[in-house]
Amino acid sequence: MTAPANTREFNGLTIPTPGKFELDPAHTRVSFVARHMMVSKVRGGFTSASGSIVVAEDPLQSHVEVSIDAASIDTGVADRDGHLRSPDFLDVEKFPALTFKSTRVESASGNEFKVVGDLTIRDVTREVVLDVEFEGHAKSPWGQEVIGFAATTEIDREEFGITWNQALETGGVLVGKKVKIEIGAEGVRQG
């Protein structure tokens, strides 16, 4: 069986030919999970993210850049979202965007890759490793060439200067330090 048009083989995986893919905001979601009161998890996400993926001739030279609108944070609870936008957490007035810029791509196995890059939150930049699963390549009913992927990582929010917390009478703290980030995205080929 031959690969569809605009694809090629890489280590047994069918991937797109080189080119630039813009993130489709209608099919891209950046979500997070954090511990609350040491007994439950709060889930939320950002409703506005933009960026691009450039697939290089050598797939391991590909790169990605993403900007997330910090004020678009949404946990489904207006008061909590307001607190997360405040200087105690994201301080969206002073730091309106969270950004990620890849520095290298490493092949893991099959359709799994490690994408290493610089994550900037509140003007603090730290290297993070995204565990990325390439989910495929297709042509939409409207003739657009699209790629999809899922990615996860975990960060320590305190490393980005987000240190607000409150001690609990029963021991522990109100908000956990670790935040799991989950990304589902679709990119549309440009040009």
Side-chain angles (χ1 to χ4, degrees):
M1 182 169 140
T2 60
N6 295 324
T7 62
R8 59 199 165 134
E9 296 298 313
F10 174 73
N11 293 344
L13 181 65
T14 301
I15 64 168
T17 56
K20 183 176 184 177
F21 293 79
E22 291 291 328
L23 292 182
D24 178 353
H27 297 101
T28 298
R29 177 81 174 168
V30 178
S31 304
F32 60 86
V33 179
R35 299 283 292 173
H36 181 252
M37 294 186 57
M38 312 303 288
V39 297
S40 65
K41 294 179 181 172
V42 170
R43 297 177 186 280
F46 295 89
T47 60
S48 179
S50 62
S52 62
I53 304 157
V54 175
V55 177
E57 185 65 43
D58 172 355
L60 299 181
Q61 297 300 311
S62 299
H63 66 275
V64 62
E65 289 189 35
V66 177
S67 180
I68 300 164
D69 177 4
S72 75
I73 195 165
D74 181 11
T75 65
V77 178
D79 287 345
R80 178 172 50 221
D81 294 345
H83 191 204
L84 292 172
R85 290 182 187 108
S86 79
D88 286 343
F89 288 92
L90 295 176
D91 197 359
V92 302
E93 294 294 322
K94 192 171 179 183
F95 308 105
L98 294 77
T99 62
F100 176 80
K101 184 175 183 178
S102 66
T103 55
R104 68 183 183 276
V105 178
E106 301 168 356
S107 184
S109 68
N111 66 336
E112 297 175 356
F113 296 85
K114 302 276 187 194
V115 177
V116 181
D118 294 327
L119 176 63
T120 302
I121 303 173
R122 293 177 52 122
D123 269 0
V124 176
T125 302
R126 297 283 182 257
E127 184 177 85
V128 298
V129 179
L130 296 174
D131 293 314
V132 177
E133 182 178 349
F134 175 68
E135 295 188 318
H137 174 273
K139 190 157 276 218
S140 76
W142 304 274
Q144 295 174 308
E145 187 180 345
V146 299
I147 58 172
F149 65 90
T152 61
T153 193
E154 186 173 86
I155 64 169
D156 180 336
R157 66 183 178 87
E158 292 185 353
E159 291 180 358
F160 292 91
I162 303 172
T163 58
W164 182 91
N165 224 329
Q166 188 171 350
L168 299 174
E169 286 183 26
T170 56
V173 291
L174 186 63
V175 183
K177 291 184 351 177
K178 299 291 183 185
V179 179
K180 184 174 183 181
I181 299 170
E182 301 169 339
I183 302 161
E186 195 171 285
V188 179
R189 187 183 289 271
Q190 303 300 295

